[in-house]
Structures are given as structure tokens and as C-alpha cells.
Amino acid sequence: MKQISSSQNAYIKSLVQLQEKAKRRKETGTFLIEGLREIELAHAGGYVLETILFDPSIVDKHSLEKLVSSNTEWIEISAEVYQKLAYRDTTEGVLAVAHSKSLALADLQLGATPLILVAEAPEKPGNIGAILRTADAAKVDAVLIANPKNDIYNPNTIRSSVGTVFTNQIATGSSAEIIAYLQVNTISIFSAILQESAPYYTQDFTNATAIIVGTEATGLTQEWREAATQNIHIPMQGAIDSMNVSVAAAILIFEAKRQRGF
């Protein structure tokens, strides 16, 4: 088994770049996963794990063997190297280099009456992660990121999603591309917008449905307002007129699930 003890090793330096640079992740088609639960979810989700790196002073190799295929490389790393690569404060002693999946709309696999969550231009990885956790909890059919501002394999997104970036079916595209995809597939568009909208609980979400949420600062663009089958809003009774996008998404998605009998 290969062993690396120096944080100045060229391969380790390349992994630091993979952790820090979206451009590098895009160029290589790979990304870094930290944590046993996240690696387990990626493995269960069909992600190809190229390499497992582990610190034997923290984690036992035998506990990781269920995660690998015959083509997965094992590298034993020192505590110094692990600390160089680790992104989180918690210490689990294991990381993996994984191959990214296609995020193309054309590769989505949907049933007859899908429930889809669309988030337009979410800027904070933490919000994306929270949205993905909601989508996983509700078992939506797909999460679409319109006009993405961040790489979906950003380590902050992986961390905040608690690994649900690997359990959801995800695609990205421009708002125009996603609107065209939904319309071609006869999926009703419910845009969460205050203007010219109806309370969300008055709508029927039991057919093929896409629920669209925007940022707290600017909301959805005009494209989504015009493309909507129906604009919807969550009635607010306090002094403010918006809430965190992941909270709004959860309210709307779980109403759709309630209507569908969960």
C-alpha cells in the first residue's frame, strides 16, 4: 500500500488545489470528500471513488473496505498530511477522491408526475446544502440549480448538505434552459414570488410539479414570473416579507408531499 507522510508531496499539493479551486475540480472531473458518512453516501449513490486516503491512527482500514472497488487506490497518510487536507474541525481520519457526475438536464431520469425543486442563483454553499437536505428528506425527484454561482462539489456545499449532495438527482443550467426543459416535459411551474401570486396552500401540486425559489435579496428573476403556471407565496404575518430560502423551500415542498400523501 502506498504511504505519504509529507504534506509537501506533489500529489498532496494537487489535492489541496482540488479542495480549494472549482476550476481544478472542473478540469479533472474529480473532487475531494471528507468524512465517513459522506463517503458512504457517495458510494451508495454510485459515485466512483478513485482513491481512499486515511490516517491509521484515527480510523481502521478494515472499517473502510466496504466502500471500495477493486480499482480504488488506498493511500495511508500521516497525521500531518491529514491535517493539511482536512477541511472540517471534526476528525474522522478519512478522505476520498471521487469522480463527479453529469449535471446535464438531458441526463435526468424522471417518472410521470415528478416533484422538482428549482433554486435560482443560490449564492451561499450553506443554503445550497440546506436545500439539498430538505430535498433528500422529502425525497424529491430532482433538484435543479439555475444560473449556479457555486460549484456543486464545493467542500462547503458537501459539508452543509451532510452528504445529501450525493443522494439527490441534481442538474444545472441557465434559467432559460431549465424553463424550456420543464415546459417541454409538461411540468407545471410554481414560482415563489410575492407579486401577482396566490397562497401556496391553494394550489394543486399532485401533478408533475416544479417549485421555484430564489434568493432572499433579489428573489426570482422576471423570467420565472413570466414562465410560471402560477406564482405562489407563503403568507407572512410579521414585520418582514421574506425568509431563508431553504426554509421557504421546505414549507413548499412538504406541502406538495402532504398533498401527495407523502
Side-chain angles (χ1 to χ4, degrees):
M1 182 191 305
K2 189 174 182 179
Q3 297 177 325
I4 299 178
S5 59
S6 172
S7 60
Q8 299 305 307
N9 177 278
Y11 177 64
I12 298 305
K13 287 184 176 181
S14 74
L15 294 185
V16 172
Q17 289 292 305
L18 200 63
Q19 187 83 288
E20 297 178 348
K21 305 292 185 182
K23 181 180 178 181
R24 184 62 178 161
R25 293 191 289 271
K26 184 176 181 180
E27 288 173 346
T28 63
T30 60
F31 63 98
L32 206 58
I33 309 172
E34 180 180 348
L36 181 58
R37 175 170 55 181
E38 287 81 355
I39 294 172
E40 287 176 338
L41 289 173
H43 178 67
Y47 281 79
V48 175
L49 303 181
E50 179 180 289
T51 309
I52 296 286
L53 302 100
F54 72 103
D55 178 352
S57 69
I58 300 173
V59 64
D60 180 12
K61 175 178 180 290
H62 295 296
S63 67
L64 307 173
E65 289 178 342
K66 62 182 178 180
L67 303 177
V68 300
S69 68
S70 58
N71 296 321
T72 302
E73 180 183 21
W74 288 91
I75 300 179
E76 185 178 300
I77 57 176
S78 65
E80 175 195 351
V81 171
Y82 178 72
Q83 290 303 317
K84 182 75 172 179
L85 294 174
Y87 193 79
R88 305 189 308 211
D89 295 331
T90 55
T91 302
E92 294 188 47
V94 60
L95 305 104
V97 179
H99 289 263
S100 54
K101 284 188 175 183
S102 169
L103 299 175
L105 291 165
D107 291 332
L108 290 173
Q109 297 182 1
L110 302 174
T113 56
L115 176 59
I116 296 171
L117 176 60
V118 181
E120 185 184 37
E123 295 181 352
K124 298 177 181 178
N127 277 342
I128 299 172
I131 287 168
L132 292 171
R133 290 178 71 175
T134 293
D136 175 85
K139 204 170 179 59
V140 304
D141 294 286
V143 177
L144 310 184
I145 308 296
N147 305 333
K149 302 293 185 183
N150 287 286
D151 168 14
I152 200 69
Y153 298 116
N154 180 301
N156 269 326
T157 301
I158 296 174
R159 177 176 63 175
S160 60
S161 78
V162 199
T164 57
V165 67
F166 308 124
T167 64
N168 285 288
Q169 189 174 199
I170 303 171
T172 62
S174 68
S175 287
E177 290 169 338
I178 293 176
I179 288 168
Y181 175 85
L182 297 174
Q183 290 175 338
V184 165
N185 288 279
T186 321
I187 298 171
S188 296
I189 297 172
F190 293 91
S191 297
I193 295 175
L194 286 175
Q195 298 84 357
E196 301 172 347
S197 61
Y200 72 98
Y201 51 78
T202 65
Q203 302 303 302
D204 181 359
F205 301 128
T206 58
N207 297 311
T209 293
I211 291 174
I212 324 300
V213 295
T215 64
E216 295 167 62
T218 60
L220 289 170
T221 58
Q222 185 68 21
E223 284 180 281
W224 287 105
R225 185 180 304 179
E226 294 174 354
T229 307
Q230 175 65 55
N231 292 328
I232 56 174
H233 69 268
I234 300 169
M236 309 285 283
Q237 298 182 337
I240 61 171
D241 62 0
S242 66
M243 60 179 64
N244 179 274
V245 63
S246 64
V247 175
I251 291 170
L252 299 174
I253 284 295
F254 275 95
E255 168 60 17
K257 293 294 290 189
R258 184 194 67 79
Q259 290 184 16
R260 292 167 177 235
F262 293 93

